[in-house]
Amino acid sequence: DAGKVDGGTAAAVVLVVKALVDEGLRRSHPERSFPGATDVGDLARAVVGLFQAPAAELNGSRMLLAP
């Protein structure tokens, strides 16, 4: 049931980032420091980690990934 709240396996989570950066962008712009940017590797690890937590604990949460 899509509207099921308790005991379900699905969760809605907001991942908060200011901007994304990867190694290619850092290499192409070595003069920049990318303040406030979230590395795509950190984003990926955060998303993978979501699968290890119970949906009931995650549902409706916000994860701040911006430094």
Side-chain angles (χ1 to χ4, degrees):
D1 177 335
K4 190 174 182 179
V5 175
D6 296 326
T9 58
V13 178
V14 175
L15 302 171
V16 181
V17 299
K18 179 179 178 182
L20 296 173
V21 65
D22 66 359
E23 286 304 314
L25 190 56
R26 285 189 182 99
R27 274 194 304 274
S28 65
H29 298 284
E31 73 286 359
R32 295 180 59 190
S33 62
F34 303 99
T38 300
D39 189 276
V40 294
D42 294 335
L43 175 62
R45 282 185 287 282
V47 170
V48 169
L50 293 174
F51 291 93
Q52 299 172 7
E57 291 178 15
L58 294 172
N59 199 25
S61 65
R62 290 173 51 93
M63 293 180 64
L64 180 61
L65 298 177

